Amino acid sequence: MVDPKPFLTSIFEAAVAAADPERTIREHLPQPPKGRTIVIGAGKGAAQMAAAFEKVWEGPLEGLVVTRYGYGAPTQRIEVIEAAHPVPDKAGLEAGQRLLRQVEGLSADDLVVALVCGGGSALLPAPAGSLTLEDEIAVNEALLASGAPISVMNAIRKHVSAIKGGRLAARAHPARVVSLIVSDIPGDNPALVASGPTVPDAASRADALKAIKTYGIDLPKAVMEHLNSPEADAPHPDDERFARNEVKLIASAAVSLEAAAAEAKRQGIEAVILSDSIEGEAREVGSVHAAIAREIATRNRPFSKPVLLLSGGETTVTLRAKGKGGRNSEFLLSFALGIDGFAGIHALAADTDGIDGSEDNAGAFCDGETVRRMRSAGIDARALLAANNAWTAFDAVDDLFVPGPTGTNVNDLRAILVR
């Protein structure tokens, strides 16, 4: 039988390798233009995407991308700026302004290549109208704490921004814009990745206002006044400024999950992909996954063991307290409670970009003995789950998974081995 932790780590590595930026960008290069080539981008893997683009592009280019602090990569012709994530800062504000200036004054003969991946929303603050950076930070924090799905967050974010919701591409008109997108979004809607700086979607200002009411999101007075004015309206997908543009999805959770399943089978373990687009409250999704694992462990159904269960997507966390952790750690702590005492079940939940929430771990490992080990370490797993403090629980038993920045982001990977 396989050794669980090295096996699960190899599954994660296979998923990440399938989204390698150099290979995926090479396969989706646009035709060179008659004029200039300008590269722009944002996200936690944007620097690695920029470095890869430089390697495979034949011809002159210039540009600028923004990524998270510590996620930079060496480049020669494309400048890399680092900024804060998940809460925006002044460095991100400056980067957003510079990106907007980068695409001004272009002609129809010029090409703009947008390298976009997850994390770009926080890395590109650009308050619209009279709003301030503090207003956009307040919006970001409220959305992160709301438990709202990514589509709802995007509908709101793009209406308080001067760069999101296709506005960056609109600024580049009449140049042709080709967006190379690494999707971290359930369902792979490119307009939702990084709140779509170069890809508009159809969500209206009325949709944003309805979502704020539905989810009880408390936003500053200035933000609500802006959202209630026509100034907040975002470009529509049928705007003629987008007519020549192209959108290419170069990596996604679906492709990475298939690569992970292939690696499991190579090692002699059958794999089942439950879904690449699971959403919902992290702790509730964890409980459901635990129930499936228990059913396999005790009744050998709906799948025969040994088997590897795989799932992707993006869960959410409704903050009830100010503990440490992210959605993958929270998912896994709930899962660990659900399999407490069950032998032969091992799991890894991790974000493919290498960071889960605000700490330095991508996620964590667990098995049927994890909760017992936590009790022995003086940790009440259920209490820490209630306090959104999963990081502390897994840190106490040395089960955090810390691969470091991966250079890509196709969202969450959950791998559950039932031996």
Side-chain angles (χ1 to χ4, degrees), residues 173-372:
H173 181 77
R176 182 168 62 102
V177 179
V178 176
S179 300
L180 304 182
I181 295 179
V182 175
S183 173
D184 66 336
I185 299 297
D188 295 331
N189 181 348
L192 302 185
V193 181
S195 297
T198 57
V199 184
D201 79 342
S204 67
R205 181 163 55 92
D207 294 328
L209 291 168
K210 181 179 179 181
I212 290 167
K213 183 177 181 180
T214 299
Y215 287 88
I217 302 171
D218 185 19
L219 298 178
K221 179 181 178 182
V223 173
M224 293 306 300
E225 289 177 350
H226 176 78
L227 286 169
N228 278 288
S229 74
E231 185 182 11
D233 288 329
H236 197 268
D238 62 5
D239 190 309
E240 65 178 13
R241 290 173 293 179
F242 306 126
R244 298 174 60 224
N245 296 352
E246 295 180 59
V247 178
K248 300 185 178 186
L249 190 69
I250 67 171
S252 68
V255 172
S256 287
L257 286 173
E258 289 166 4
E263 175 60 22
K265 292 176 182 177
R266 189 189 69 79
Q267 297 188 46
I269 302 293
E270 286 299 314
V272 175
I273 299 174
L274 300 178
S275 172
D276 66 357
S277 56
I278 290 178
E279 297 181 273
E281 194 72 25
R283 61 182 64 188
E284 295 172 4
V285 176
S287 294
V288 172
H289 279 62
I292 296 171
R294 293 196 309 267
E295 189 73 12
I296 296 169
T298 57
R299 295 185 174 89
N300 220 34
R301 67 183 190 193
F303 312 109
S304 298
K305 56 189 175 185
V307 66
L308 179 71
L309 304 180
L310 295 166
S311 72
E314 183 174 22
T315 61
T316 52
V317 173
T318 302
L319 291 178
R320 299 164 175 84
K322 293 186 177 181
K324 290 183 177 182
R327 59 181 182 263
N328 287 285
S329 304
E330 179 138 334
F331 163 92
L332 202 67
L333 188 54
S334 173
F335 180 88
L337 286 161
I339 63 163
D340 185 22
F342 280 78
I345 302 176
H346 305 263
L348 167 65
D351 197 317
T352 52
D353 65 14
I355 292 292
D356 183 40
S358 59
E359 305 306 315
D360 64 352
N361 65 309
F365 296 98
C366 83
D367 58 43
E369 293 295 307
T370 295
V371 173
R372 181 193 61 77

Side-chain angles (χ1 to χ4, degrees), residues 53-115:
F53 191 87
E54 286 186 340
K55 288 182 181 179
V56 301
W57 183 253
E58 296 180 1
L61 64 86
E62 57 189 294
L64 170 71
V65 300
V66 57
T67 192
R68 177 181 170 141
Y69 290 123
Y71 275 50
T75 55
Q76 296 180 348
R77 293 173 287 172
I78 302 170
E79 183 181 355
V80 176
I81 294 179
E82 297 185 6
H85 182 282
V87 179
D89 69 354
K90 290 183 179 179
L93 180 63
E94 179 184 345
Q97 293 169 343
R98 289 188 60 191
L99 280 177
L100 287 166
R101 292 196 297 269
Q102 190 87 36
V103 300
E104 288 179 341
L106 299 179
S107 75
D109 288 334
D110 296 326
L111 169 68
V112 174
V113 178
L115 307 175

